[in-house]
Amino acid sequence: MSRILAAPPADSRLEAVSGDGGLPVVGHTLEYIKDPLALFGRRWEKYGEVSWLTMAGQRWITVLGPDACQQVLQNKDKAFVNSDGWSLLIGPFFHGGLMLLDSEEHLRHRRIMQQAFTRDRLTKSVESLNPVVSAGLDAWSAADGFLVYPALKSLTLDIATSIFMGGAEGSTEAEIAEINASFVACVQAATSIVRYRLPGTRWKRGLDGRKVLDAFFRRYLPARRANETDDLFSVLCHIESDTGQRFTDDEVVDHMIFLLMAAHDTSTITLSTMMQYLGQHPEWQRKCRAESTALGTDSPTLTQLDELHSLDLVMKECLRLVSPTPVVARRAVKDTEVQGKYVPAGTYASVAPHFTHHMAQYWPNPEVFDPGRFDTDRCEDKVHRYAWEPFGGGVHKCIGMFFAGAEIKTIMHHLLLRYDWAVDTDYVAPLNFTSLPFPEDGQPVDLRLR
């Protein structure tokens, strides 16, 4: 049964937001975990761009389609904040991260952090990436049914600890495995139905994981404060804004925990998706390999990565097909409207770029892998400013998006030079959306050394 979220003011021309709560207690949470696109598709057909539902114990409005997403993400009337939206889901685990800050505090932190993501620093990061990627791939064993997702997750965590931390000296393999498990626990706690510290719950595992991560980074903090090097951990300890502002110890730890999660989880699913589709479309695998081979090096520079045109198209298409962050959270801090619908203060908003990326109105044959849709002769991503938004939008657009692109292309370059691989054309990845998407079967590919 459809009901309204709240009645608009009597003198308003706005419409009420319609919707439904779903099942008792769990609301629509299980539907989202099973298949968010199907859930959003049903809501689009029934309610349109804006509707309300119950998720994670709260009422949310779902914001669908590029016009509505643009309005909330650009936030011209400053009605929506990041902090309150994300804090409900991941606040206890990633508090202090840039995504959970707003207004002047967000601006101060972002201005300082931008110094860590300049073109010069990115160039140095790519130089450091190559040997780490090469060493990580040395541990792979080519075989039929090779589970590429866990292998890539291990590789991207190695990269994160090396490039972002300058290494984890003194840590054992077991400790690094615990760190990886702690990140997973923190991320998966976001969709907990039981949100109390009870034994056996995802919420408790997330809280325990945050303690592990906090202790891990604080152990290395004094050394990074003492000596300035090129790794991000050290950079965050020493950089200053134009006005001389610096991060405190607590702020450095908070940012490191959030950045390492964002850096390796989101890159892993994109790499995994790219390997799937390149395995199913050998003509694109050959195109990408030819461009990588033409560079004549297994240690490409940032400038050389820019020459990998086909790989860039494939990466963009895979970011469209499987958005690393399917929804982004906001909360209204004052009465406002979205596409003519009345949204009262206090309302949580779930903005869904993943749905936009699959709308046939903007993407012909949206479920078909077609990297050419991003090429200059088609530019389907330009049909609407927010048709393609895997990195978000507005003032909170991902600060690490260029590093992510460089990391993904570096890893894929090494993979293309080392391996051929194939994936059955009928294979569909069984994606789990308990947190950020991941393939439950580990994403098997038939991997062969070249």
Side-chain angles (χ1 to χ4, degrees), residues 128-129 132-133 135-137 139-140 150-168 173 176-177 180 260 264 268 407 411:
S128 301
L129 269 172
V132 180
V133 174
L137 293 180
W140 286 28
L152 285 168
K153 190 161 175 52
S154 177
L155 176 61
T156 57
L157 183 60
D158 286 346
I159 289 170
T161 54
S162 177
I163 305 303
F164 281 17
M165 283 192 62
E173 287 188 14
I176 295 300
N180 198 2
L260 255 75
H264 88 280
T268 300
E407 177 191 21
I411 293 172

Side-chain angles (χ1 to χ4, degrees), residues 187-215:
V187 172
Q188 291 193 347
T191 53
S192 295
I193 295 171
V194 178
R195 306 177 82 79
Y196 298 96
R197 195 187 188 101
L198 297 177
T201 62
R202 288 206 305 270
W203 195 256
K204 183 180 185 301
R205 287 194 292 272
L207 293 173
D208 291 344
R210 169 68 196 210
K211 283 188 175 181
V212 170
L213 296 173
D214 197 272

Side-chain angles (χ1 to χ4, degrees), residues 288-303:
C288 292
R289 183 173 290 110
E291 291 180 4
S292 282
T293 302
L295 292 185
T297 179
D298 59 2
S299 298
T301 64
L302 181 60
T303 300

Side-chain angles (χ1 to χ4, degrees), residues 56-177:
Q58 292 285 346
R59 283 190 176 188
W60 294 71
I61 58 168
T62 56
V63 180
L64 305 174
D67 291 325
C69 288
Q70 179 175 6
Q71 185 176 349
V72 175
L73 293 178
Q74 285 189 337
N75 196 26
K76 290 183 178 179
D77 64 350
K78 294 182 170 49
F80 291 97
V81 296
N82 262 36
S83 54
D84 286 355
W86 282 115
S87 291
L88 176 68
L89 300 174
I90 61 173
F93 322 108
F94 296 107
H95 55 80
L98 196 61
M99 194 170 72
L100 282 80
L101 303 178
D102 282 296
S103 303
E104 289 304 313
E105 185 181 27
H106 170 261
L107 183 60
R108 178 178 76 84
H109 282 246
R110 194 174 180 100
R111 280 175 174 166
I112 300 172
M113 197 174 292
Q114 279 173 341
Q115 306 306 312
F117 289 95
T118 62
R119 178 79 181 186
D120 286 345
R121 291 194 187 277
L122 187 55
T123 297
K124 292 179 180 178
S125 293
V126 171
E127 292 173 359
S128 301
L129 269 172
N130 285 296
V132 180
V133 174
S134 182
L137 293 180
D138 285 342
W140 286 28
S141 299
D144 287 348
F146 179 77
L147 299 183
V148 75
Y149 182 83
L152 285 168
K153 190 161 175 52
S154 177
L155 176 61
T156 57
L157 183 60
D158 286 346
I159 289 170
T161 54
S162 177
I163 305 303
F164 281 17
M165 283 192 62
E169 62 274 12
S171 291
T172 65
E173 287 188 14
E175 286 174 318
I176 295 300

